[in-house]
Amino acid sequence: QVQLVESGGGLVQPGESLRLSCAASRTIFSINRMGWYRQAPGKEREWITTITNGGSTQYGDSVKGRFTISRDNAKNTVYLQMNSLKPEDTAVYYCNAFILDGIGFNYWGQGTQVTVSS
């Protein structure tokens, strides 16, 4: 099991940047992959990005080139650097951890609100 705690959300203007953090309760090197999802009001949860324990990354088309996922193994923390934010990026952002232990388990943080508005 793992507990995930997101932080760093807030209100920013279009074009600005924000960095989200996801602190895990166990060493993230032991987690097969971690990622970020988001959910806007009235919409389904959307996958944004993933980083594996080998360091490979993938991004959704809506954030490619603007968002960057990274991790600090020493701090058991994954980050989401968000640049050139747009109003359509407004959503609750969730950290996800996938652990393969015979079968796969998904774990979620409580979410952090990001609002992009002028």
Side-chain angles (χ1 to χ4, degrees):
Q1 290 189 344
V2 62
Q3 284 75 50
L4 305 172
V5 179
E6 302 102 331
S7 61
L11 172 64
V12 296
Q13 295 188 348
E16 293 186 339
S17 299
L18 206 58
R19 189 177 81 159
L20 305 182
S21 299
C22 173
S25 62
R26 60 184 273 180
T27 172
I28 60 174
F29 189 75
S30 67
I31 299 174
N32 297 84
R33 60 178 184 261
M34 296 187 70
W36 291 91
Y37 289 69
R38 67 186 180 187
Q39 188 166 19
K43 295 187 176 181
E44 293 188 351
R45 191 167 296 190
E46 173 193 15
W47 170 75
I48 297 173
T49 179
T50 299
I51 186 167
T52 69
N53 57 4
S56 299
T57 58
Q58 289 183 304
Y59 296 92
D61 289 340
S62 63
V63 304
K64 197 173 296 183
R66 298 188 299 123
F67 290 13
T68 303
I69 189 170
S70 63
R71 67 184 195 193
D72 186 332
N73 290 340
K75 295 182 178 180
N76 296 326
T77 300
V78 171
Y79 301 100
L80 181 64
Q81 178 66 43
M82 306 184 293
N83 298 329
S84 302
L85 283 161
K86 306 174 182 179
E88 50 264 44
D89 294 318
T90 296
V92 177
Y93 284 69
Y94 296 92
C95 181
N96 168 264
F98 175 80
I99 298 174
L100 185 61
D101 185 13
I103 61 175
F105 296 88
N106 272 300
Y107 299 90
W108 298 91
Q110 81 287 352
T112 185
Q113 176 71 45
V114 172
T115 303
V116 185
S117 174
S118 55

